[in-house]
Amino acid sequence: MGYKILIVEDDQFISHMVSESLTKEGFEVTAAFDGEEALDILNTQKFEVILLDLMLPKIDGMECLRMIRSKSMIPVLIMSAKDEDVDKALGLGLGADDYISKPFSMLEVIARIKATIRREKHYMGYLPAKEEKIIKIGDLSVDLNGFSVEKFNEKINLTAKEFNILKLFISNPSQVYTKSQLYKSVWEDEYHGDENVINVHIRRLREKIEDDPSHPTYIKTLWGIGYKLGDF
């Protein structure tokens, strides 16, 4: 049985094209044509990945994503032709994992989906189920097994990508990561020089964990090189 993919796209031509290509790749594909239909389907079925258009009738993609994240951490790949909408979806903390710019090639879509599934399976098996591993750094308490973060005993709500970025840094405290290395480690895909997705995730993570995001102490920028964990 192939992995199950939900496509939420109101353009029937695009939906059919993507569905047909993914089916040929061995995926089980279900299509929804508006946000309301997508949420109804998600109430009764489970999927490995959701491809979500932002411009949807009835319930738009932003609200649909918000409602999905209130119940599930299933990987969501946004499809959009507008960079500002993508930046908003990634930057508002709604929990989008990645995005695919329209127009796109099916080779790119298939590669992103496969990388997402591979990454999720990797992180699900990263630690033994009963192992407890909590790392304290500064005022943060990071539960690597429970995928949770607290600061001053208050829970910080991180998206899956934000958590995995933080986890990468605290697990390798002396390592300096270029944007290419960071992307390959967290997204488990080849980096094609698109800095926006990295910049947005780093910015949002800093806004959640730093006392002063404009003067970060947890994730330091090494100008012209990349990022590293601060000294604690």
Side-chain angles (χ1 to χ4, degrees):
M1 181 179 293
Y3 292 114
K4 297 181 67 175
I5 311 295
L6 175 63
I7 301 171
V8 191
E9 167 63 67
D10 64 321
D11 187 313
Q12 294 199 18
F13 174 79
I14 294 177
S15 178
H16 178 73
M17 177 189 69
V18 175
S19 296
E20 188 174 48
S21 296
L22 293 181
T23 299
K24 289 179 180 179
E25 287 291 320
F27 295 106
E28 292 187 23
V29 182
T30 300
F33 298 97
D34 60 64
E36 185 177 285
E37 182 182 11
L39 294 171
D40 287 341
I41 291 172
L42 286 168
N43 283 331
T44 60
Q45 299 184 50
K46 292 184 178 181
F47 298 87
E48 271 69 41
V49 177
I50 299 173
L51 293 178
L52 178 66
D53 183 32
L54 292 181
M55 304 296 291
L56 294 171
K58 295 188 178 179
I59 299 177
D60 67 30
M62 295 287 191
E63 182 60 24
C64 189
L65 177 58
R66 194 189 310 274
M67 295 176 73
I68 290 170
R69 277 293 169 263
S70 70
K71 299 179 180 179
S72 170
M73 290 305 294
I74 180 175
V76 176
L77 277 63
I78 287 173
M79 301 184 294
S80 178
K82 295 184 178 181
D83 289 342
E84 58 269 28
D85 286 342
V86 169
D87 185 79
K88 185 182 296 183
L90 292 174
L92 287 178
L94 300 182
D97 292 88
D98 205 348
Y99 75 93
I100 301 168
S101 297
K102 294 181 178 179
F104 49 74
S105 73
M106 281 311 305
L107 288 177
E108 178 188 9
V109 174
I110 292 167
R112 293 288 187 92
I113 290 174
K114 288 182 176 179
T116 298
I117 292 173
R118 184 173 64 249
R119 180 173 60 249
E120 292 303 311
K121 298 301 179 184
H122 168 75
Y123 279 113
M124 284 176 64
Y126 188 78
L127 291 172
K130 295 183 179 180
E131 178 181 349
E132 293 185 3
K133 191 170 184 181
I134 298 177
I135 295 178
K136 295 186 181 296
I137 178 168
D139 297 319
L140 298 180
S141 178
V142 184
D143 185 344
L144 298 184
N145 192 40
F147 293 92
S148 64
V149 179
E150 291 185 355
K151 185 175 184 180
F152 303 127
N153 295 319
E154 292 188 5
K155 186 176 180 180
I156 298 175
N157 293 317
L158 300 184
T159 66
K161 281 293 187 302
E162 291 164 354
F163 182 86
N164 288 334
I165 290 171
L166 179 60
K167 176 180 177 180
L168 180 67
F169 283 117
I170 65 176
S171 299
N172 304 275
S174 62
Q175 177 72 42
V176 175
Y177 288 94
T178 65
K179 289 185 176 180
S180 176
Q181 291 170 329
L182 182 60
Y183 193 87
K184 288 179 180 179
S185 295
V186 175
W187 277 259
E188 290 192 353
D189 199 1
E190 290 300 315
Y191 178 65
H192 299 291
D194 187 354
E195 298 184 352
N196 185 54
V197 65
I198 296 176
N199 292 342
V200 169
H201 279 85
I202 291 290
R203 183 179 74 240
R204 289 297 301 172
L205 177 57
R206 283 173 168 165
E207 288 173 353
K208 294 178 181 181
I209 66 173
E210 301 282 359
D211 292 333
D212 181 359
S214 61
H215 296 89
T217 58
Y218 289 101
I219 298 179
K220 306 287 287 186
T221 298
L222 302 180
W223 297 108
I225 302 175
Y227 303 98
K228 74 179 296 292
L229 188 71
D231 296 323
F232 289 91

